[in-house]
Amino acid sequence: MSNYKIAWRNLWRNKRRTLITVASVFFAIFFALIMRSLQLGTYDHMFRNAIESYTGYLQIQHEDFWDNKIVDNTFSYTPELDQAIMSLENVTGTVPRFESFALASSGALTKGVLVMGVDPEKESLLSDIRGKLVKYKLNDNNIEALKNSEIPQETKKNLEIFRGNSYSSNSSLAIDFNIPDKDSSSILEIFRKYASFRNGYIKSGEPGVLIGDKLALYLKAGIGDTIVLLGQGYHGTTAAGKYRINGIVKLPAPDLDNKIVYLPYDVCQELYDAPGMLTSLAISIRENGDKKINSMIPEIRSKLDPQLKVMGWQEMNKLMINQMDADSKSGMIMIFILYLVIAFGVFGTVLMMTAERRREFGVLVAIGMQKSKLATVVTLEMILMGILGIASGIIAALPVIFYGYSHPIRFHGEMAKMYEDYGMEAIMPFLLPDMYILWQAIVVAIIVLIALVYPLRKITKMQVVDSLKA
Amino acid sequence: MKVLELKNVNKIYDGSEVHVHAVNNVTLEFQEAEFAAIVGPSGSGKTTLLNLIGGLDMPTSGKIIIDGSDLSGLKSSQLIDFRMRNIGFVFQAYNLIPVLTAKENVEFIMNLQKWSRKERDERTFELLKAVGLGDRMNSRPSKLSGGQQQRVAVARALASRPKFVLADEPTANLDSKSATTLLEIMEKLNHEEKITFIFSTHDARVVKMAHRVITLEDGSVVSDDIRE
């Protein structure tokens, strides 16, 4: 009879006790994974938004631009520079940008905006502006038309909730309106018919802009309207121009959506009187792991003039990383409290088990079982209980995590507003299974092993005669 | 042949409030295949003496020599190993391992001694048959009566052919019929296996069947009657 077999049978001699212990471990791992997945998923989403809408993973800038974002801190964009970067392994393209601030006016309304000169075609390597063009808009007229259409009653109920919203993809519309996959084509067809939004795009050398959806709302401007941009150009010149609004984009980061104006970078250079200059050259890469990015930074730096510098996404998003780090720590404190409660639960059952079996332990040692072998059996029992709890917790959490990944939690109303006031998209997606699952499993396994110290100590210090009297 | 020898064994419990001389200068010898009963009133030191003989407790002074080995010279793990190979135990409350079947309980010590499967199966079957439980080999203790459990305990105690078996009040929890059956089985096995049995008991039936009766009072041996 192997130790394993005895341990396994011991588990089921008191089913209730075993189930309580396994359930403690199960709930610890289940809730810890859900909490961690939600937290890390939210961070991941925010980083992706920031990276894919704005910074990219790597940028070349004038050495002073990051600290002082004025047009004077630009650098010359030459074919030689482009070739040098493109020759590096893992680089899939370069994305030129000319970024500055200006006042944007439409009619009597004015707002400070972020002017982003981009290459309309190359930018798709990084931020896919074309994919962010608004496809559907739920304005008053469209909503009335949709209410009278043949879309299901359930979908109609949500129209009021999302009045004024814009959507740049079918999937985000389907998530908000809970449109089931099987009905999606017919319902989306109706949305296309009554709420589709016609956008244009921008083209190199042609004046015209794309503006953020929230900025368009603020300026009360639409397609075909004109906005005036007024700012400070290269070496103190005045930058002024008026541009037709060709399209409206819906950016996931509300802060950016509220201030972004895209225009072709050559048009932007002209506006700021800085021909041939760039504020940054973003680099599109194939493999975007932190290790790879960090290894690329010195490689790129070696190809640059000394007044230029390379920045990774972590450096460019330092503030956000610090905020996430602080938030992550508070999340970990919550998980720690959860673990503490669970640890006491596990310890309580271990304590009971040890007291109940004291006499049995005495008998086993009396008839010739070495204490080390007895300790091995008890350790195996605890490990088996731990494995059962951890495995069942992970198995139960995985479907929730996968569902939460494909159907992120979206906030509406006041909650959504609160999120957007903090510059965050009102959405909480889950992070797909990653190393965090392993870490939670390890932490719970350690708790189980710590609880094991008590019975092991009792066995080691056991006086057989005293135990037989128990 | 001498299997066990006690020389001037004393056991003193010296607590802060009480000083108990539980075993007082006991000198005894036991031969192979003896069937001996230790009797005496409650508190006379029977169980303490049995614990000392079994190496479960250490004497305050004196020597306990089993098959030529002095128990006091053994380390804790050596003592456990020594018990496994040389001493069988039968407890008043049976104390079978609840998660193991009758067969597995009997096999347990043989497993610890790493006997081959064939040897284990043969010996287990032989013993369970001898105690009248050949048909209950796969029953767990909870499915057996008290008498049956105690018979399994006897089979377990004999499994690895120890030098002697110590039985602490083995019939105390049994009804009269079960007790008689158990005693008959033990006497038969004592004959067949040539293994020494030492009981502590209050039970007159055990005393009646014993070949030797040692009487204790206040920890001292007051009589040692060997019957022919």
Side-chain angles (χ1 to χ4, degrees):
Chain A
M1 166 116 323
S2 65
N3 292 347
Y4 169 80
K5 209 166 173 181
I6 298 174
W8 180 253
R9 287 200 194 164
N10 273 333
L11 282 192
W12 304 112
R13 63 196 285 188
N14 189 336
K15 288 192 184 74
R16 193 176 296 172
R17 187 180 58 212
T18 300
L19 288 175
I20 289 171
T21 313
V22 170
S24 304
V25 177
F26 168 88
F27 285 115
I29 201 90
F30 178 80
F31 287 117
L33 287 182
I34 299 293
M35 281 163 70
R36 206 67 191 140
S37 170
L38 201 55
Q39 197 172 31
L40 295 176
T42 306
Y43 301 159
D44 186 65
H45 185 72
M46 288 174 73
F47 285 133
R48 272 180 204 285
N49 278 350
I51 291 165
E52 291 172 7
S53 305
Y54 186 40
T55 62
Y57 287 100
L58 283 163
Q59 278 191 13
I60 295 169
Q61 296 179 356
H62 185 278
E63 60 180 344
D64 297 326
F65 182 73
W66 188 254
D67 296 323
N68 189 11
K69 286 184 177 161
I70 57 169
V71 179
D72 289 352
N73 291 332
T74 50
F75 63 95
S76 186
Y77 179 40
T78 62
E80 292 76 27
L81 174 65
D82 212 43
Q83 278 163 14
I85 303 302
M86 287 300 290
S87 67
L88 295 170
E89 189 216 333
N90 199 37
V91 172
T92 55
T94 55
V95 183
R97 284 171 173 179
F98 194 104
E99 175 190 335
S100 188
F101 292 93
L103 283 173
S105 303
S106 174
L109 296 162
T110 302
K111 193 175 190 303
V113 296
L114 172 67
V115 177
M116 183 75 90
V118 296
D119 183 316
E121 302 312 317
K122 279 185 161 185
E123 188 65 28
S124 62
L125 286 171
L126 211 67
S127 61
D128 186 26
I129 301 172
R130 206 187 285 273
K132 293 186 176 83
L133 287 167
V134 169
K135 277 197 177 67
Y136 306 99
K137 204 161 181 60
L138 298 178
N139 58 29
D140 296 347
N141 291 339
N142 295 348
I143 285 180
E144 283 314 308
L146 282 165
K147 276 182 177 171
N148 296 323
S149 72
E150 57 275 30
I151 58 172
Q153 210 55 38
E154 280 300 306
T155 313
K156 279 183 188 170
K157 275 186 196 165
N158 288 331
L159 286 168
E160 280 308 321
I161 299 172
F162 299 111
R163 184 182 282 272
N165 273 18
S166 303
Y167 296 93
S168 60
S169 70
N170 290 340
S171 60
S172 56
L173 182 78
I175 289 170
D176 267 5
F177 282 83
N178 287 326
I179 300 172
D181 286 348
K182 60 182 174 60
D183 303 329
S184 67
S185 59
S186 59
I187 296 174
L188 288 174
E189 187 53 45
I190 298 168
F191 271 95
R192 252 191 295 277
K193 189 173 169 189
Y194 295 108
S196 65
F197 188 78
R198 284 189 189 171
N199 261 306
Y201 196 54
I202 49 175
K203 202 172 169 188
S204 285
E206 290 184 10
V209 297
L210 305 173
I211 66 172
D213 183 52
K214 283 189 188 299
L215 179 61
L217 271 175
Y218 180 86
L219 294 175
K220 296 194 172 109
I223 305 291
D225 290 345
T226 301
I227 61 164
V228 175
L229 297 176
L230 182 65
Q232 187 177 329
Y234 196 56
H235 288 171
T237 59
T238 300
K242 64 175 188 177
Y243 302 95
R244 181 182 183 274
I245 298 173
N246 289 353
I248 293 176
V249 289
K250 172 82 180 166
L251 297 187
D255 189 39
L256 268 184
D257 199 39
N258 207 13
K259 66 181 180 190
I260 194 80
V261 174
Y262 287 113
L263 68 169
Y265 81 96
D266 48 357
V267 175
C268 198
Q269 286 169 337
E270 204 176 302
L271 168 68
Y272 285 95
D273 201 17
M277 306 298 273
L278 292 181
T279 54
S280 65
L281 182 66
I283 300 168
S284 160
I285 53 176
R286 200 173 295 116
E287 190 191 322
N288 58 20
D290 288 351
K291 205 172 163 188
K292 186 72 188 171
I293 290 172
N294 290 336
S295 75
M296 286 181 76
I297 291 174
E299 207 181 342
I300 297 170
R301 191 176 290 134
S302 69
K303 307 252 176 201
L304 301 178
D305 289 341
Q307 79 274 18
L308 299 183
K309 72 170 181 180
V310 194
M311 296 182 81
W313 72 271
Q314 295 105 320
E315 197 180 353
M316 291 184 280
N317 293 288
K318 209 177 260 177
L319 183 66
M320 192 190 283
I321 288 174
N322 289 343
Q323 284 171 342
M324 298 296 117
D325 199 37
D327 191 67
S328 175
K329 284 195 170 66
S330 70
M332 281 160 89
I333 290 170
M334 286 299 293
I335 290 178
F336 175 76
I337 293 169
L338 174 74
Y339 282 153
L340 205 65
V341 172
I342 299 302
F344 277 107
V346 172
F347 186 66
T349 49
V350 169
L351 210 73
M352 264 187 331
M353 180 270 284
T354 311
E356 271 176 31
R357 290 170 64 187
R358 194 172 158 213
R359 183 189 181 89
E360 178 188 325
F361 290 165
V363 170
L364 289 168
V365 175
I367 65 174
M369 190 180 205
Q370 288 291 349
K371 288 180 178 176
S372 57
K373 194 172 168 71
L374 178 58
T376 308
V377 172
V378 174
T379 304
L380 275 174
E381 284 174 35
M382 288 300 290
I383 288 174
L384 284 171
M385 276 198 280
I387 288 173
L388 278 177
I390 290 169
S392 56
I394 291 174
I395 289 168
L398 283 180
V400 181
I401 290 171
F402 279 108
Y403 182 83
Y405 176 76
S406 54
H407 297 80
I409 299 168
R410 280 181 181 274
F411 297 108
H412 306 296
E414 284 300 308
M415 192 71 171
K417 195 172 173 307
M418 194 184 81
Y419 264 77
E420 291 182 0
D421 285 347
Y422 280 103
M424 301 189 300
E425 193 184 0
I427 185 172
M428 285 181 86
F430 284 69
L431 185 68
L432 283 178
D434 199 348
M435 285 303 282
Y436 69 93
I437 294 218
L438 181 67
W439 277 115
Q440 300 310 314
I442 288 173
V443 171
V444 175
I446 289 171
I447 290 173
V448 172
L449 292 177
I450 289 173
L452 185 61
V453 171
Y454 179 77
L456 292 190
R457 193 178 150 76
K458 281 280 172 193
I459 289 169
T460 316
K461 303 274 174 198
M462 176 171 63
Q463 295 296 323
V464 180
V465 173
D466 294 338
S467 296
L468 287 173
K469 287 179 196 159
Chain B
M1 193 178 85
K2 191 162 62 183
V3 293
L4 170 66
E5 189 179 359
L6 285 84
K7 284 184 182 171
N8 306 111
V9 171
N10 285 283
K11 180 69 185 178
I12 299 167
Y13 294 105
D14 205 0
S16 55
E17 290 174 7
V18 284
H19 175 92
V20 180
H21 207 141
V23 174
N24 190 0
N25 204 32
V26 172
T27 297
L28 287 169
E29 279 185 8
F30 292 89
Q31 304 300 318
E32 187 183 65
E34 271 198 64
F35 203 69
I38 300 173
V39 298
S42 292
S44 60
K46 301 186 294 294
T47 300
T48 306
L49 184 62
L50 233 55
N51 287 340
L52 293 172
I53 294 171
L56 301 176
D57 207 353
M58 281 293 131
T60 310
S61 65
K63 281 188 174 180
I64 298 167
I65 298 159
I66 298 171
D67 207 23
S69 301
D70 183 357
L71 292 191
S72 61
L74 300 176
K75 285 192 286 186
S76 168
S77 62
Q78 288 173 326
L79 196 57
I80 294 170
D81 198 56
F82 188 85
R83 282 200 300 265
M84 176 181 73
R85 294 182 192 285
N86 298 289
I87 310 171
F89 288 92
V90 178
F91 301 95
Q92 181 179 334
Y94 332 131
N95 289 339
L96 297 177
I97 303 165
V99 295
L100 303 185
T101 63
K103 176 177 182 281
E104 290 162 344
N105 263 289
V106 176
E107 279 183 336
F108 190 75
I109 305 287
M110 293 183 269
N111 252 318
L112 293 178
Q113 293 188 24
K114 303 199 184 326
W115 287 29
S116 72
R117 175 174 274 277
K118 188 169 172 283
E119 284 175 313
R120 285 197 318 253
D121 285 348
E122 281 173 8
R123 180 71 174 154
T124 307
F125 183 69
E126 178 190 23
L127 283 167
L128 283 174
K129 205 175 147 201
V131 297
L133 292 171
D135 57 339
R136 304 301 303 271
M137 297 222 293
N138 295 316
S139 301
R140 293 235 180 141
S142 58
K143 302 287 177 200
L144 299 173
S145 68
Q148 288 172 326
Q149 286 188 54
Q150 197 63 305
R151 282 188 267 155
V152 175
V154 170
R156 177 179 70 180
L158 291 165
S160 63
R161 297 194 176 90
K163 297 279 181 305
F164 57 88
V165 171
L166 297 175
D168 187 12
E169 307 269 11
T171 55
N173 287 0
L174 302 182
D175 59 72
S176 170
K177 194 177 164 201
S178 301
T180 308
T181 311
L182 182 79
L183 287 168
E184 285 167 2
I185 288 168
M186 288 201 285
E187 193 181 31
K188 186 181 83 169
L189 288 168
N190 167 251
H191 258 291
E192 289 172 3
E193 303 260 338
K194 301 277 180 240
I195 293 173
T196 304
F197 274 74
I198 304 170
F199 306 88
S200 77
T201 187
H202 280 108
D203 192 334
R205 286 162 302 191
V206 181
V207 178
K208 196 175 160 192
M209 289 175 93
H211 309 156
R212 179 180 175 190
V213 179
I214 299 157
T215 308
L216 286 185
E217 260 183 38
D218 297 330
S220 302
V221 176
V222 292
S223 69
D224 186 355
D225 300 330
I226 296 173
R227 300 167 181 170
E228 290 306 316

